[in-house]
Amino acid sequence: MSDAYQQDAGAWEREIAVLERNFPGVQVWFGCYTRRWWALYAGRLVEGRTPAHIGEQIFRARQRANVHGADPRPPEASHRCHFLYDCVCRSQEGRP
């Protein structure tokens, strides 16, 4: 794995931590292949170009959920995958 990729992965982890702290219960990851930011909020997939953009999209999704009376809390999950970890692990193993 290249040094540049490892630096990117470290930056992604920091951004993910900030977003998940700002939006408790929302799962956030960076798509290695799409090069987009993704979040799972209340069962809906949200996409953004940058960490700031995904934050805006999550905020908008929360507003829409509140306007429509939906329960904004995420469903309980028995297992929480960390998509960044999965992406990094596959890259280290030489798999796409």
Side-chain angles (χ1 to χ4, degrees):
M1 186 161 45
S2 72
D3 288 338
Y5 184 86
Q6 287 176 332
Q7 289 173 350
D8 285 348
W12 298 335
E13 288 174 348
R14 287 187 296 277
E15 294 291 350
I16 288 169
V18 168
L19 287 163
E20 289 182 345
R21 188 171 44 249
N22 289 336
F23 300 102
V26 176
Q27 190 171 3
V28 179
W29 67 95
F30 180 77
C32 295
Y33 299 106
T34 62
R35 306 298 289 175
R36 296 286 196 153
W37 287 87
W38 298 90
L40 187 59
Y41 173 73
R44 300 193 78 147
L45 194 57
V46 181
E47 177 188 13
R49 295 179 305 276
T50 64
H53 187 239
I54 194 68
E56 291 170 12
Q57 298 294 56
I58 295 167
F59 183 78
R60 288 182 182 148
R62 278 182 147 174
Q63 287 181 319
R64 283 191 301 273
N66 289 337
V67 166
H68 297 294
D71 186 352
R73 294 174 297 180
E76 292 298 319
S78 59
H79 174 73
R80 184 177 186 279
C81 295
H82 195 292
F83 292 93
L84 175 63
Y85 176 78
D86 182 51
C87 177
V88 170
C89 288
R90 282 187 282 136
S91 295
Q92 288 175 343
E93 294 170 2
R95 293 185 295 169

